[in-house]
Amino acid sequence: MRNTTGSLAATLVLTTGLAAANGQDDGGVEMSGPALFKSYCASCHGADAKGDGPVAHLLAYRPADLTQVAARDRGRFDRRKVHRIIDGRDPVKGRGGPDMPLWGDAFKLAGGSYSDAEVDQRIESLVEYLEALQPR
Ligand code: HEC
């Protein structure tokens, strides 16, 4: 299962990466949280981030409901921790199962030559987007 989902994630990254190469990535469009989420996250987490994306049922672990990140963390939205979960290169214990891709690496590859700062900026846009999705 690990391998299947690993290559599924790689395929998703590749296809979305190609979409970016088709010109969606200029003009800063792909740097916005909502656009990034739609391109890279909605397939698993769902357009509404509730964990019911079109490929969710193919995974061994159900993608998390991302509107409940704070609720699962005693009501606190820890931006640094969420950033690290999404990046994935510096795993946070207990968060983001094995089916959650390492976006830090994926964004670097998708952009061809994204710098660490650019990768960080993309992840930060996603963190902001997710923070805004938390019910108050
Ligand atoms: C291949 C499917 C897949 C894609 C694509 C994906 N995720 Fe995930 N994600 C998961 C799975 C599976 C989990 C783990 C659920 C668990 O461990 O309970 C997860 C967990 C998470 C968590 C931890 C939530 C929590 O409170 O524990 C965050 C944050 C997250 N994903 C954000 C993102 C973002 C942002 C993107 C897009 C850049 C993304 N994910 C794309 C499958 C995916």
Side-chain angles (χ1 to χ4, degrees):
M1 201 59 204
R2 182 98 178 78
N3 279 341
T4 318
T5 49
S7 49
L8 170 67
T11 309
L12 288 170
V13 169
L14 196 67
T15 32
T16 46
L18 288 176
N22 279 339
Q24 290 172 14
D25 203 19
D26 53 21
V29 178
E30 281 285 335
M31 294 304 270
S32 83
L36 287 168
F37 189 85
K38 206 163 155 249
S39 301
Y40 297 101
C41 321
S43 49
C44 288
H45 289 284
D48 60 0
K50 289 188 176 295
D52 53 0
V55 307
H57 67 285
L58 299 173
L59 305 172
Y61 294 88
R62 196 188 143 81
D65 177 347
L66 297 180
T67 67
Q68 300 299 315
V69 173
R72 276 190 299 271
D73 201 13
R74 286 161 288 148
R76 207 167 68 98
F77 189 88
D78 184 335
R79 297 180 63 117
R80 280 195 45 183
K81 191 156 141 192
V82 175
H83 188 114
R84 284 175 59 195
I85 292 171
I86 298 170
D87 186 297
R89 289 177 291 183
D90 174 19
V92 181
K93 198 169 170 285
R95 308 296 290 265
D99 284 348
M100 170 66 181
L102 307 186
W103 291 105
D105 286 339
F107 285 154
K108 256 188 121 75
L109 292 172
S113 58
Y114 279 131
S115 66
D116 281 330
E118 282 165 324
V119 169
D120 258 18
Q121 205 186 325
R122 296 185 125 203
I123 295 175
E124 211 39 44
S125 301
L126 283 162
V127 171
E128 265 170 41
Y129 179 65
L130 294 186
E131 187 170 25
L133 290 182
Q134 306 308 302
R136 283 162 212 279

